[in-house]
Amino acid sequence: MKTKIPVWINILQVLILAILTFQTYACYFNPSLLYPGFTVDEVTAKTIYVLAGRNAVMMVISIIALVRQDPRFYSFAFLMHSLRELQDMFIVPLTGDPGGAAIGTFFVFLIVFVIPEISAYFKLNKMANELAKI
């Protein structure tokens, strides 16, 4: 029996993949696209390239999840995404400008990414467990 991944999950994965692709490109080739005024020197190079590598690996996992359409692997990808976004949800507002923008950023992460990613994880995990029973 072939399980069909819900369209909304594939759309969310494509959105995440687009963001990861942009972040990977920016970290490797033009960090100021993500962090205006960021200068790559011998002190910051390792940090930005480690971030680029992290994003590149998550990008590859996202592509594999899209291609394979396997609920168990896909749930792993969404677990990874949601854990990353949970951290970013707190880090970005704490390191950015204080005030309303920080609170807005927190809720954008929560509503646009964290809640849908956690929902996708549970849906995919349920699908994988149902397949395992067959």
Side-chain angles (χ1 to χ4, degrees):
M1 178 179 165
K2 176 105 170 135
T3 303
K4 183 160 173 48
I5 303 296
V7 172
W8 72 270
I9 290 177
N10 283 317
I11 291 170
L12 182 58
Q13 183 71 328
V14 168
L15 174 65
I16 293 166
L17 180 59
I19 292 167
L20 287 169
T21 302
F22 171 73
Q23 290 176 333
T24 300
Y25 169 82
C27 286
Y28 277 128
F29 302 109
N30 190 356
S32 64
L33 291 172
L34 288 173
Y35 309 107
F38 186 86
T39 304
V40 178
D41 57 24
E42 66 181 60
V43 174
T44 61
K46 184 175 183 181
T47 301
I48 199 70
Y49 294 138
V50 166
L51 180 60
R54 174 196 89 150
N55 289 337
V57 168
M58 289 189 294
M59 187 177 71
V60 169
I61 290 171
S62 296
I63 292 168
I64 293 169
L66 271 171
V67 171
R68 288 188 58 194
Q69 294 288 296
D70 172 43
R72 181 70 64 206
F73 187 82
Y74 225 145
S75 69
F76 165 75
F78 271 97
L79 178 63
M80 176 188 65
H81 294 320
S82 61
L83 292 172
R84 180 194 73 240
E85 297 297 351
L86 278 168
Q87 291 179 65
D88 288 352
M89 185 172 78
F90 291 101
I91 292 169
V92 170
L94 287 175
T95 59
D97 295 327
I103 294 169
T105 301
F106 177 88
F107 283 106
V108 167
F109 273 103
L110 180 66
I111 294 166
V112 175
F113 294 107
V114 174
I115 291 172
E117 288 168 352
I118 290 172
S119 298
Y121 167 76
F122 282 118
K123 173 70 175 168
L124 291 161
N125 205 36
K126 180 180 175 190
M127 291 172 70
N129 290 337
E130 288 171 359
L131 277 177
K133 291 178 185 176
I134 295 177

